[in-house]
Amino acid sequence: MAAERFQDPVRGRGATTIADRVVAKIAAQAAGEGLAAVPQAQGAVPRGGARPHASVVVHRDVARVAVSLELDYPSDVGRSCGAVRGRVRARVEELVGMEVHEVTVHVERLHSPLTRQAAPRGRLS
């Protein structure tokens, strides 16, 4: 009977809560890793582009993730988004221990060689 009592020493000692912003940061980093794994992609962040951004909604250890990113043009958008989806799902499940039911990828901008060379546009006075 004593052996049964010590099989799971963690049980009953409390709970671990992981903030949504922590899960979002992990998802954003994983999105960059997913882009870097695509052979056509020149890097996780297109030259002149922003790093991937993620937002997360967590309910009872189930996460729904939305990732926004920018890609180089030309690139295989479907393949890049698929790599991001797979990597985000795997890393969040692995590092946080949450199920990921949905990963939505929003491609906000495509960067062509011309837009990379142009000076950033801002408000003119």
Side-chain angles (χ1 to χ4, degrees):
M1 186 175 326
E4 289 178 23
R5 199 173 87 209
F6 292 108
Q7 283 181 350
D8 191 2
V10 178
R11 187 177 226 141
R13 288 191 189 172
T16 301
T17 304
I18 300 171
D20 290 5
R21 65 189 168 118
V22 173
V23 180
K25 189 162 189 160
I26 291 169
Q29 179 67 32
E33 294 169 3
L35 284 175
V38 177
Q40 242 182 333
Q42 295 178 356
V45 179
R47 288 170 282 175
R51 293 190 175 281
H53 173 75
S55 60
V56 176
V57 176
V58 177
H59 183 68
R60 295 185 184 178
D61 291 333
V62 175
R64 295 187 188 282
V65 182
V67 178
S68 299
L69 50 85
E70 299 177 4
L71 297 174
D72 277 332
Y73 177 84
S75 65
D76 186 343
V77 176
R79 185 174 185 185
S80 297
C81 291
V84 167
R85 235 180 257 110
R87 185 65 175 179
V88 168
R89 181 183 309 275
R91 293 298 279 171
V92 169
E93 288 178 352
E94 175 186 346
L95 296 175
V96 183
M98 293 181 180
E99 286 184 53
V100 179
H101 281 194
E102 179 181 341
V103 178
T104 305
V105 179
H106 302 278
V107 179
E108 292 186 341
R109 182 174 291 137
L110 294 175
H111 292 275
S112 72
L114 295 174
T115 60
R116 277 184 247 132
Q117 293 173 357
R121 295 181 187 181
R123 184 175 174 183
L124 299 175
S125 303

